[in-house]
Amino acid sequence: MLIRLDPTRATPIFDQLAASVRAAIIDGRVIGGERLPAARDLADSLGVNMHTVLRAYRVLRDEGLIELHRGRGAVVAVRIGGHAALAGAIHDLVDEAKLHDLPESALLALISEAYRWTPSAPGVLRTAPTR
């Protein structure tokens, strides 16, 4: 699993770490039931504080992506069906945004807005807003 951290970014290191692990889970590079590196080991390899790794792991636990077990560490939550379709859609969306020179911040804002206003009930048909 490749983890990229950039201390010059405004995004906190724990958020960057959580985003890297989240992407690996969604892309299927890390699968359900797989054990993640121990917080101490990962912190040492990345050159960050162990509490930074633990905070990222807690974020992922709260999102339901990993489970934390005393003495056993962090394990990717087993998911039926996985996130393969979501990963493909995300990559397609990013490719399309780059094709049209849409800045990352604009893409993220569009996604956040769509997520906020899209009904969450299955089977809900989306329609264009009326004016």
Side-chain angles (χ1 to χ4, degrees), residues 8-116:
T8 63
R9 288 182 58 198
T11 306
I13 296 295
F14 80 91
D15 274 338
Q16 292 181 45
L17 177 55
S20 287
V21 175
R22 184 182 303 112
I25 292 170
I26 291 172
D27 281 352
R29 290 176 279 144
V30 183
I31 59 171
E34 189 171 335
R35 190 169 293 173
L36 295 176
R40 186 179 313 275
D41 295 341
L42 186 56
D44 288 345
S45 70
L46 295 173
V48 299
N49 188 294
M50 181 182 67
H51 294 286
T52 301
V53 175
L54 290 172
R55 188 169 180 189
Y57 279 2
R58 282 192 301 271
V59 167
L60 296 168
R61 178 203 58 201
D62 293 347
E63 293 174 357
L65 294 173
I66 67 170
E67 298 168 354
L68 297 176
H69 304 282
R70 285 195 192 274
R72 287 193 2 217
V75 178
V76 177
V78 177
R79 300 221 178 253
I80 298 172
H83 297 289
L86 179 59
I90 289 169
H91 289 291
D92 290 346
L93 181 63
V94 169
D95 289 345
E96 188 71 18
K98 286 183 175 184
L99 181 67
H100 295 287
D101 295 322
L102 186 68
E104 179 185 1
S105 59
L107 176 60
L108 293 174
L110 288 169
I111 292 169
S112 292
E113 189 68 15
Y115 193 87
R116 223 175 281 122

